[in-house]
């Protein structure tokens, strides 16, 4: 499914990307109506549209989409801060399919997921099939049958030639003859595909084909990783039915895996910022600190708080506050190295666990982060942060709880001494 997001807000583009992480490919985003019109030159299956854009109203864009016969049938989902009857009526007149609140994007994600499921049920094929068959008449018959249901076919007469492209292209299914020209048999090719744990096609469905009636050979093919067997000569209806069933099952498994991964990420991350949440922080930080203690590796912990954040919410509204939080989190994420742990623990408070960093290096990191956030002006505002820094002092016996308590006390000192500063303390 190709999703086009016409979204002016960078914050909501990031948020929407996370909520639609189950899609086979991420949404394509543009930030103006004019850019959206140009983007429609490419195939688009669904449009997510912001109500207010820098160069006009989202509803005007929706009307233009409906006036163009080439795009008139594309579903349009409108994102609005507040949804009421007046907006719903105006949206319906403009051709909008559904209206969703920006703060309930899980509802939009559910809608998109259900639509994706219905498209899969219809099974409009796309993608490539790998065909390895040394009989040219049989290969032509299979190619024409598969192309009629929407698959592009890459045909090879030997296992060796097929292996050369397996790591350069992704296939929906492979159809492999058992007896092939060349030194490698179809069984050998099946074994090679299933044995390549790093290969992009290791899990693709494999339909083995042969005119041989050797039951033992068929069983061995299935043992080595073929998913099904088709005897020659074959009927087109049977060939297509088997291919449809195998591709459908693979897509369902891929969708299930993507959904599990999506739910796993939701369980461990803060949905506004994309950083780890408090619950997962406690788990992973305790594990990392215990491991560091065993190997006598120094650790430090930062507790960071946005100064006067309540004023931003009270004077500019929660939209501005959310943007400040998201962009502050982005600065924190960019400053961290691989192995460090960053989390939002609630409200305007963040925590960063630094592995193999202590003393002057930890203080320098904290100061660079403080300065980076101040100069970046999140959401275009003058934003500063106070940071409390704690380290284990070289004893290698600290816990997450002891580090957090010390860093929180240092943060309190930073707030009391004027804010927009770093205060360090030992455990």
């Amino acid at each position: 499914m190709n999703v086009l997001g016409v979204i002016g807000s960078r914050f909501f583009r990031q948020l929407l990307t996370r909520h639609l992480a189950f899609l086979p490919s991420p949404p394509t985003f543009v930030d103006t109506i004019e850019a959206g019109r140009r983007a429609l030159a490419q195939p688009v299956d669904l449009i997510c549209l912001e109500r207010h854009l820098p160069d006009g109203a989202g509803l005007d864009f929706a009307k233009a989409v409906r006036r163009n016969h080439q795009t008139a049938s594309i579903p349009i989902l409108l994102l609005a801060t507040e949804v009421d009857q007046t907006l719903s009526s105006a949206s319906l007149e403009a051709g909008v399919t559904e209206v969703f609140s920006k703060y309930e994007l899980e509802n939009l994600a559910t809608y998109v997921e259900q639509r994706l499921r219905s498209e899969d049920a219809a099974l409009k094929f796309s993608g490539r099939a790998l065909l390895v068959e040394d009989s040219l008449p049989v290969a032509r018959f299979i190619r024409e049958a598969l192309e009629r249901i929407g698959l592009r076919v890459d045909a090879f007469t030997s296992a060796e030639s097929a292996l050369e492209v397996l790591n350069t292209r992704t296939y929906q299914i492979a159809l492999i003859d058992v007896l092939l020209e060349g030194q490698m048999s179809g069984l050998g090719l099946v074994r090679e595909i299933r044995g390549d744990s790093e290969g992009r096609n290791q899990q693709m469905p494999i339909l083995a084909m042969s005119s041989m009636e050797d039951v033992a050979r068929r069983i061995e093919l299935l043992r080595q990783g073929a998913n099904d067997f088709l005897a020659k000569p074959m009927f087109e209806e049977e060939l297509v039915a088997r291919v449809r069933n195998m591709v459908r099952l693979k897509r369902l498994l891929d969708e299930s895996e993507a959904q599990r991964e999506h739910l796993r990420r939701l369980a461990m991350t803060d949905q506004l910022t994309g950083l780890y949440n408090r619950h997962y922080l406690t788990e992973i930080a305790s594990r990392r600190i215990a491991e560091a203690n065993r190997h006598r590796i120094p650790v430090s912990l930062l507790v960071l708080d946005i100064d006067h954040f309540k004023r931003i919410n009270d004077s500019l509204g929660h939209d501005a506050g959310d943007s400040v939080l998201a962009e502050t989190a982005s600065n924190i994420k960019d400053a961290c190295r691989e192995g460090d742990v960053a989390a939002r623990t609630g409200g305007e408070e963040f925590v960063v666990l630094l592995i193999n960093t202590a003393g002057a290096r930890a203080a320098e990191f904290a100061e660079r982060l403080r300065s980076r956030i101040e100069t970046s002006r999140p959401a275009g505002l003058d934003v500063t942060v106070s940071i409390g820094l704690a380290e284990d002092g070289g004893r290698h016996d600290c816990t997450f709880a002891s580090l957090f308590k010390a860093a929180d006390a240092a943060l309190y000192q930073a707030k009391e001494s004027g804010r927009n500063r770093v205060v360090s303390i030992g455990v």
Side-chain angles (χ1 to χ4, degrees), residues 166-347:
L166 272 169
N167 286 326
T168 64
R169 290 179 176 172
T170 299
Y171 292 100
Q172 300 295 313
I173 188 171
L175 298 93
I176 301 174
D177 188 18
V178 175
L179 298 177
L180 296 166
E181 64 178 39
Q183 294 185 348
M184 184 180 291
S185 67
L187 176 60
L189 179 57
V190 171
R191 191 182 300 115
E192 285 285 333
I193 292 171
R194 293 298 186 234
D196 185 5
S197 60
E198 301 298 322
R200 62 169 66 189
N201 294 294
Q202 197 229 7
Q203 297 297 325
M204 72 175 169
I206 297 176
L207 176 61
M209 307 174 296
S210 178
S211 58
M212 299 173 60
E213 297 185 1
D214 186 343
V215 175
R217 183 68 61 88
R218 294 186 186 184
I219 293 173
E220 184 60 22
L221 279 164
L222 295 172
R223 284 176 174 169
Q224 294 298 326
N227 299 89
D228 200 357
F229 182 89
L230 183 60
K232 297 179 183 178
M234 62 188 72
F235 293 102
E236 180 174 344
E237 291 83 357
E238 183 182 8
L239 169 67
V240 169
R242 289 179 184 271
V243 169
R244 282 187 183 276
N245 287 340
M246 294 171 71
V247 174
R248 179 184 291 114
L249 179 59
K250 178 62 164 58
R251 289 184 176 181
L252 289 173
L253 291 173
D254 287 346
E255 180 185 325
S256 177
E257 181 60 32
Q259 183 65 16
R260 281 198 298 270
E261 177 62 20
H262 179 58
L263 291 174
R264 188 185 71 83
R265 285 197 299 268
L266 288 178
M268 60 193 280
T269 58
D270 170 64
Q271 294 306 293
L272 180 65
T273 64
L275 299 180
Y276 291 130
N277 57 30
R278 177 188 288 271
H279 174 75
Y280 190 72
L281 169 69
T282 303
E283 176 186 334
I284 190 172
S286 297
R287 193 163 63 240
R288 294 277 181 87
I289 291 170
E291 183 179 354
N293 287 339
R294 282 196 303 273
H295 297 284
R296 304 189 68 78
I297 296 172
V299 294
S300 300
L301 189 78
L302 283 68
V303 179
L304 178 155
D305 190 88
I306 299 175
D307 296 326
H308 303 299
F309 182 73
K310 186 174 184 302
R311 293 181 187 174
I312 297 173
N313 274 341
D314 291 346
S315 60
L316 300 176
H318 288 279
D319 277 2
D322 287 348
S323 294
V324 168
L325 290 169
E327 293 184 32
T328 299
S330 181
N331 276 304
I332 294 171
K333 190 183 302 182
D334 291 343
C336 289
R337 308 154 307 169
E338 184 177 356
D340 295 336
V341 179
R344 180 188 176 203
T345 53

Side-chain angles (χ1 to χ4, degrees), residues 389-395 398 402-403 405-407 409-410 413 423-427:
L389 169 63
E391 56 181 285
D392 66 356
R395 296 195 307 273
C398 62
S402 64
L403 275 175
K405 181 178 180 180
Q413 292 181 28
V423 172
S424 301
I425 193 171
V427 176

Side-chain angles (χ1 to χ4, degrees), residues 115-124 244 248 251-252:
R115 193 169 191 93
L116 184 63
R117 286 177 181 273
S118 66
E119 286 186 1
D120 280 348
L123 210 59
K124 179 183 177 181
R244 282 187 183 276
R248 179 184 291 114
R251 289 184 176 181
L252 289 173

Side-chain angles (χ1 to χ4, degrees), residues 13-30:
R13 290 199 296 270
Q14 294 172 343
L15 205 57
L16 193 59
T17 298
R18 290 202 295 272
H19 276 79
L20 298 182
F22 57 83
L23 288 173
S25 56
T28 298
F29 286 108
V30 296

Side-chain angles (χ1 to χ4, degrees), residues 149-163:
I149 61 173
L151 288 171
R152 290 172 289 171
V153 179
D154 292 344
F156 302 90
T157 57
S158 70
E160 290 84 355
S161 58
L163 277 174

